Amino acid sequence: MRYFVFNTPEGVAEAASMVFASTLYQKPDAVFGLATGSTPVDTYRRLIALNARGLINFGRARSFNLDEYAGLAPDHPCSYRRFMDDHLFDHINIDKALTFVPSGIGDLEQNAAEYDQIIERAGGIDLQLLGIGHNGHIGFNEPDERAFAYRASVVGLTDSTIEANARFFANRDEVPRRAITLGLGGILCARRVLLLATGAGKARAVAGAIRGPVTPMNPASILQLHGDVQCLLDREAAALL
Ligand code: GLP
C-alpha cells in the first residue's frame, strides 16, 4: 500500500480533492464510492469550491455511499443520506438521482443484497474514498475474530464505534446499534482506493492496516490485497509507521 504523509489535515484534503479532480478529467462519468465521518468533510468542501469555480464537473458522475444506520430514514437529521446531501450533494452539480446511499429502513437484508447488485450494474466503483475507524473499521465493517465480511450486509456496531459516533447524536443512546454496509469484497472491487486518516487517534489503526498482518481484527488491513490503494495521512495519523 502506498502512503503519503502531509504536514496538516488540510494537506490531506487538498491532495484528496486533486485525486477526485483528476479522476473526473480522465472519466467524466466516473463512479465514486463515498464515505461519511469527519475526515472527508474538508475534502468535500474543496470539491464544492472547485465545482463552483467551474473547474470540475459532476454532471455525469454517479456515487455510492458505503453505509447507513439501521432504522434511520433518509430525512432523519443523523442519517448518512442527510450527511451527504448537507456536506456535498446539495452544493455540486451532481444528479441526486444518481447518488446512492444504502437504505436503512424496510427489509435491510434485502437492501444489502441489492446494493452489491446495483453497484455491479453501474459498472463498479472507479474511486473508493475511505476513512478509517479507531479500531480499523472501513465502512461499518467492524473487527471480527473469525472472518472478513465479504458482501454488503447488516452489521452490529461495536461499543467503541457507538462511542465515537455519539458526537453526531443528541446522546449515546440515540446511536443506532446496527447499520447496513458495503462489504469488504465490494470495497476491494473498486478500481482505485483512497484512504484518508488524520489525527493521533487513528495512528494505531493506520499502522496495523499498512504494516500489520492481514487480519479481520483490523478490517482495513485487507486493503493490502488490493493493487491500487493510496493512503493520504497527516503526520499524527502516520506517527506509528
Ligand atoms: C464511521 C463511518 C466510517 C468512517 C469512520 C471514521 O463509523 N461509518 O465510514 O470512516 O466513522 O469517522 P471519522 O472520519 O469521523 O473519524
Side-chain angles (χ1 to χ4, degrees):
M1 271 154 77
R2 281 183 287 163
Y3 65 91
F4 302 86
V5 183
F6 299 86
N7 285 334
T8 61
E10 290 75 23
V12 170
E14 183 76 28
S17 67
M18 288 165 73
V19 175
F20 270 78
S22 70
T23 303
L24 279 170
Y25 278 106
Q26 269 170 10
K27 192 172 177 198
D29 60 348
V31 178
F32 293 108
L34 298 178
T36 53
S38 304
T39 310
V41 168
D42 192 19
T43 301
Y44 294 154
R45 205 172 52 76
R46 288 162 198 269
L47 293 178
I48 292 167
L50 290 170
N51 187 232
R53 292 171 60 202
L55 294 174
I56 56 172
N57 180 7
F58 287 94
R60 294 173 56 202
R62 285 166 293 169
S63 72
F64 290 91
N65 259 79
L66 284 167
D67 44 21
E68 180 59 281
Y69 288 111
L72 299 196
D75 60 353
H76 187 286
C78 296
S79 76
Y80 280 165
R81 156 53 71 183
R82 190 65 182 271
F83 180 97
M84 290 308 299
D85 288 349
D86 289 351
H87 289 94
L88 186 65
F89 300 146
D90 283 347
H91 312 288
I92 59 175
N93 73 325
I94 200 164
D95 178 352
K96 282 263 282 274
L98 300 180
T99 64
F100 299 88
V101 178
S103 171
I105 53 174
D107 183 339
L108 298 192
E109 301 292 343
Q110 194 185 332
N111 297 350
E114 283 171 5
Y115 204 56
D116 281 330
Q117 290 167 13
I118 306 173
I119 294 175
E120 248 170 67
R121 280 201 296 273
I125 290 169
D126 292 303
L127 179 68
Q128 175 66 59
L129 181 67
L130 294 176
I132 184 169
H134 295 94
N135 59 9
H137 75 227
I138 48 179
F140 267 135
N141 294 284
E142 298 279 32
D144 187 294
E145 278 162 21
R146 294 149 299 147
F148 289 109
Y150 200 74
R151 308 214 51 94
S153 48
V154 183
V155 294
L157 302 183
T158 62
D159 283 344
S160 75
T161 296
I162 291 166
E163 194 67 51
N165 290 359
R167 68 189 194 278
F168 295 109
F169 292 79
N171 60 62
R172 193 183 190 282
D173 292 340
E174 291 199 5
V175 185
R177 270 37 185 174
R178 293 189 315 145
I180 176 168
T181 184
L182 187 64
L184 295 164
I187 292 171
L188 286 180
C189 283
R191 285 181 268 283
R192 183 176 181 188
V193 176
L194 189 65
L195 184 143
L196 312 184
T198 57
K202 301 292 172 69
R204 230 160 60 98
V206 165
I210 296 178
R211 292 241 195 275
V214 176
T215 163
M217 288 306 289
N218 182 332
S221 66
I222 203 170
L223 296 172
Q224 294 178 31
L225 305 179
H226 190 290
D228 193 359
V229 179
Q230 286 101 43
C231 303
L232 308 185
L233 314 170
D234 72 353
R235 276 184 191 284
E236 291 186 348
L240 299 178
L241 282 168

